[in-house]
Amino acid sequence: MSESTPPSRAGYIARIAANRSAQVGMALILLVTAIAFLGPYVAPYTPSEFIGRPYNMAAEGALLGTDNLGRDVWSRVLHGGHDLVWMAAAATLLGLTLGTAIGLAAAYYKGLTDLLLMRLIELKLAFPSIVFALLFVTMFGPGKLLLTVVVGISQAPSVARVMRGVALSVVRQDYVQWARSVGMPSWRILLSEVLPNTTSPLLVEFGLRMMWSISLLAGLSFLGYGIQPPAADWGLMVNENRNALAIQPYAVLTPILLIALFSIGCNIFAEGVTRAIGRTGN
C-alpha cells in the first residue's frame, strides 16, 4: 500500500487491534466492566445488608471490612459499578450521536447553518459540564435517565467541534461532490459517504468521552447529586466513607481505584487509536 493510499476501514481496525496501547486500554475497560456487571452475582452479601459494626476492618466474612453503616464494603464495591458503567456508556453514545450529527451538518451545509450551530456549541462550552449537570439535576432531581441525558448532552459540543473539522475535508472530496451532483439526498450522502470516512476519529472520541462521562457521573454521586443512597455506587461510596479514611481506607480507595482504572483504560485506548491512525507506531 502506497503512502498516498489511505488504509481501508478493515486496515484501520487491524492496526488498532495490533496496537499495544489500545490492547492495554481495552483490557482495563473490559476488566472494570466485568466487575461491574458480574460482581452482583458473586457478591457475598446484598449491598444494603448490615453485617457488623461500622468501620470494622476485622468483621467476620467481610474481605474489605465494613463501611459507615456496617455494610460489607466488598459487596458494595461489586454492586456499585453497574449503574455507573452503563450510564457512562449510554451518555457517551448519546454525546457521540448528537455531536456527530451537529458536526457533519455544520461541515456539509456550511454558511448560515454552520454559523448558527457553532455559536450554539460555543454557548454550551461556556458552561463547565459539572455546572451544566448540576443545573438540571437541581431542577428535576437526580434520576438515572436524566443524569445520562445531561451528561451525554454535555459531551456533544466537544465531539461536534472535532467531527466538523474532520468532515470539512471529507465533504470536499470528489465522490461527495459527485453524489450531490446526481441529486442524492443530503441525509444519504452524510450517512453513506461522509460518516464512514470519519469513523477513525470517532473511535478516539469514544475513548475520551467515556473517560469524561464516568468521571462526571462519579463526581455528581460524590457531591450527592448522582445515584442516591442506600444504593451502592462507587462515587457515593467515596463520599459516604471519606471522613474515616484513616481507619477504613478500603471503603474509599477501592472504588477510587476502579474508577481510575476505567478512566485510565479509556484514555490509553484513545491514545492507542490515535497512534494507530497516525502511523506513530506502538
Side-chain angles (χ1 to χ4, degrees):
M1 180 180 295
S2 65
E3 286 295 320
S4 60
T5 304
S8 64
R9 273 176 284 172
Y12 275 129
I13 293 173
R15 283 164 52 182
I16 292 169
N19 184 275
R20 193 166 303 167
S21 295
Q23 293 172 352
V24 173
M26 182 56 65
L28 291 176
I29 293 172
L30 292 177
L31 172 63
V32 178
T33 301
I35 292 174
F37 285 94
L38 299 180
Y41 297 101
V42 299
Y45 303 100
T46 64
S48 57
E49 186 175 351
F50 301 102
I51 65 167
R53 293 182 292 104
Y55 301 129
N56 185 4
M57 293 288 290
E60 184 177 355
L63 179 64
L64 300 179
T66 58
D67 69 355
N68 62 320
L69 296 179
R71 299 166 297 190
D72 180 36
V73 170
W74 178 236
S75 296
R76 287 183 66 78
V77 166
L78 292 177
H79 282 89
H82 179 268
D83 287 335
L84 188 61
V85 170
W86 80 255
M87 289 168 65
T92 299
L93 292 176
L94 176 61
L96 287 177
T97 301
L98 290 176
T100 300
I102 294 171
L104 295 188
Y108 182 81
Y109 293 106
K110 302 178 182 176
L112 182 60
T113 300
D114 184 19
L115 179 64
L116 291 176
L117 289 176
M118 288 302 102
R119 295 299 81 77
L120 288 174
I121 291 300
E122 291 171 0
L123 179 63
K124 163 59 187 72
L125 289 174
F127 293 90
S129 295
I130 188 70
V131 175
F132 179 78
L134 288 175
L135 174 64
F136 285 92
V137 172
T138 302
M139 290 190 299
F140 301 107
K144 295 178 183 179
L145 180 59
L146 176 65
L147 287 168
T148 302
V149 172
V150 169
V151 172
I153 292 175
S154 71
Q155 301 297 318
S158 298
V159 177
R161 294 183 69 177
V162 171
M163 296 309 296
R164 175 184 176 273
V166 174
L168 280 173
S169 61
V170 177
V171 298
R172 291 194 291 263
Q173 298 299 315
D174 291 340
Y175 54 85
V176 176
Q177 298 304 317
W178 176 86
R180 300 181 73 168
S181 67
V182 299
M184 185 180 294
S186 297
W187 66 267
R188 186 174 177 184
I189 295 175
L190 289 171
L191 290 178
S192 63
E193 303 294 342
V194 180
L195 181 60
N197 290 284
T198 61
T199 51
S200 300
L202 268 179
L203 287 173
V204 178
E205 282 298 300
F206 173 78
L208 293 174
R209 295 307 120 201
M210 276 289 288
M211 178 184 68
W212 284 109
S213 292
I214 198 166
S215 299
L216 181 54
L217 286 166
L220 288 170
S221 293
F222 175 79
L223 294 173
Y225 292 92
I227 303 299
Q228 297 297 295
D233 177 81
W234 291 339
L236 182 61
M237 287 181 66
V238 177
N239 184 37
E240 290 175 334
N241 300 285
R242 59 191 173 88
N243 292 328
L245 180 61
I247 60 175
Q248 172 44 307
Y250 297 134
V252 175
L253 297 181
T254 307
I256 287 178
L257 174 63
L258 291 172
I259 294 171
L261 285 177
F262 194 87
S263 299
I264 292 170
C266 292
N267 192 31
I268 294 175
F269 176 76
E271 180 185 354
V273 172
T274 303
R275 290 184 174 184
I277 295 171
R279 297 176 178 272
T280 56
N282 292 338

